[in-house]
Amino acid sequence: MTRWNIDPATRAQFEEDGATVVRGVLNEAWLERLAGAIDRDIESPGPYYHGYTPDDGRGRFDGNLRLWEHDDDFRALCLDSDLPALAQAKPAAAA
């Protein structure tokens, strides 16, 4: 796993906005694995699924909770990817 140091500007944006973009955390293999897991979940939703399709049929929302409990790829993403290390990242020292 990669050790992540978040630069001060990115950390400040997170503190101010509650979210930020950190690019390059997941490589192409992880993204492909995640895409397959999402497709499977949409095709056969787990027990905590909720969805919404507007009356006009345009657009769609699919949501599911606790996917790591019943899908090996989501579990691996949560436990074996760089995401846990990123969540624990300390701010980089100011230059």
Side-chain angles (χ1 to χ4, degrees), residues 1-35:
M1 253 185 239
T2 303
R3 288 189 149 266
W4 292 91
N5 287 314
I6 304 301
D7 66 83
T10 301
R11 177 66 66 175
Q13 181 181 21
F14 177 78
E15 294 295 332
E16 183 173 328
D17 299 336
T20 191
V21 174
V22 182
R23 299 194 187 282
V25 175
L26 299 176
N27 64 27
E28 193 63 33
W30 275 115
L31 294 175
E32 289 175 13
R33 192 171 175 182
L34 180 59

Side-chain angles (χ1 to χ4, degrees), residues 4-84:
W4 292 91
N5 287 314
I6 304 301
D7 66 83
T10 301
R11 177 66 66 175
Q13 181 181 21
F14 177 78
E15 294 295 332
E16 183 173 328
D17 299 336
T20 191
V21 174
V22 182
R23 299 194 187 282
V25 175
L26 299 176
N27 64 27
E28 193 63 33
W30 275 115
L31 294 175
E32 289 175 13
R33 192 171 175 182
L34 180 59
I38 291 168
D39 288 344
R40 283 193 313 277
D41 183 63
I42 291 171
E43 182 69 28
S44 180
Y48 303 104
Y49 169 81
H50 56 280
Y52 170 73
T53 301
D55 292 337
D56 65 7
R58 296 176 63 194
R60 178 175 152 180
F61 171 80
D62 289 284
N64 209 335
L65 305 172
R66 299 166 56 176
L67 291 167
W68 66 90
E69 293 180 354
H70 61 272
D71 185 280
D72 290 340
D73 288 329
F74 279 113
R75 183 179 305 107
L77 181 74
C78 293
L79 302 177
D80 301 330
S81 73
D82 280 343
L83 293 179

